[in-house]
């Protein structure tokens, strides 16, 4: 990972926030697996990322998941990988605290809270956001969902109070 990207990601992960998660009773067994980012809010960390694949994987601890994010860069097609751990909130599994692995982990300080704001009943898509709703992401099980699904999930993101005026479309 480039040093500038690493530093920007570490700073972004330290941003404060406050709001409430919309989802309760998230079934983590159905949530884990491979996701593709199909839309998001603009952010400096992912500015050059044209495609993101997210692997959300159970570990041997009930409250921990491994996260691997693979980003394909627009400029040169280079692939970068970021690894993190997710600690699940025991009171609401729709709330995670992602902490970077490796040198950027800084003893667990380089972390950020992410909340699942909504998801499809069949777990085919999910909307995640920072607690303060400043940044958000739409994940889908398919790398290239239909235009109708993209439109519906963006409409749902707006209903949740997320600012979709400058949406960045990613994926397929």
């Amino acid at each position: 990972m480039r040093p500038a990207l690493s530093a920007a990601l570490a700073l972004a992960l330290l941003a404060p926030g406050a709001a409430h998660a919309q989802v309760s009773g998230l079934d983590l067994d159905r949530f884990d697996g491979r996701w593709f980012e199909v839309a998001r809010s603009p952010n400096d960390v992912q500015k050059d990322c044209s495609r993101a694949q997210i692997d959300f994987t159970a570990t041997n601890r009930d409250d921990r998941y491994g996260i691997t994010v693979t980003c394909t860069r627009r400029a040169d097609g280079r692939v970068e990988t970021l690894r993190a751990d997710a600690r699940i909130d025991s009171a609401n599994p729709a709330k995670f605290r992602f902490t970077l692995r490796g040198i950027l982990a800084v003893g667990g300080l380089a972390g950020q809270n992410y909340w699942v704001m909504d998801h499809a009943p069949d777990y085919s898509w999910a909307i995640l956001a920072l607690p303060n709703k400043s940044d958000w992401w739409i994940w889908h099980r398919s790398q290239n969902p239909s235009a109708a699904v993209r439109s519906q999930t963006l409409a749902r993101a707006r209903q949740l109070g997320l600012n979709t005026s400058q949406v960045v479309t990613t994926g397929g």
Side-chain angles (χ1 to χ4, degrees):
M1 182 179 298
R2 294 181 298 176
L5 175 65
S6 299
L9 182 57
L11 288 174
L13 290 174
L14 293 172
H20 65 283
Q22 301 295 318
V23 172
S24 61
L26 184 74
D27 182 347
L28 290 170
D29 288 336
R30 295 183 70 196
F31 189 81
D32 70 354
R34 178 159 289 167
W35 294 91
F36 297 94
E37 177 191 274
V38 296
R40 63 176 162 77
S41 60
N43 65 68
D44 289 337
V45 174
Q46 291 181 285
K47 184 170 34 178
D48 187 37
C49 190
S50 64
R51 177 183 176 269
Q53 173 183 300
I54 304 94
D55 291 302
F56 192 84
T57 310
T59 67
N60 60 354
R61 293 183 59 183
D62 289 343
D63 67 339
R64 303 291 167 99
Y65 280 73
I67 310 293
T68 303
V69 179
T70 307
C71 169
T72 303
R73 294 285 164 194
R74 283 185 176 91
D76 57 11
R78 188 169 30 109
V79 174
E80 294 180 358
T81 302
L82 171 74
R83 288 182 176 73
D85 293 307
R87 183 176 192 168
I88 309 304
D89 183 309
S90 60
N92 184 348
K95 297 180 180 182
F96 319 132
R97 176 149 182 91
F98 288 10
T99 305
L100 295 172
R101 290 184 190 163
I103 194 164
L104 292 176
V106 193
L109 295 176
Q112 176 63 57
N113 295 319
Y114 291 83
W115 293 353
V116 178
M117 304 300 283
D118 200 3
H119 64 82
D122 65 357
Y123 288 77
S124 60
W125 59 261
I127 300 171
L128 289 83
L130 298 184
N132 67 3
K133 298 184 180 182
S134 62
D135 290 320
W136 56 267
W137 299 262
I138 296 176
W139 292 359
H140 199 279
R141 296 295 186 176
S142 167
Q143 186 175 345
N144 193 17
S146 71
V149 168
R150 286 178 186 263
S151 179
Q152 290 167 352
T153 54
L154 278 172
R156 180 62 182 138
R158 276 190 295 281
Q159 291 172 344
L160 293 167
L162 303 173
N163 181 354
T164 62
S165 65
Q166 296 180 335
V167 65
V168 176
T169 302
T170 58

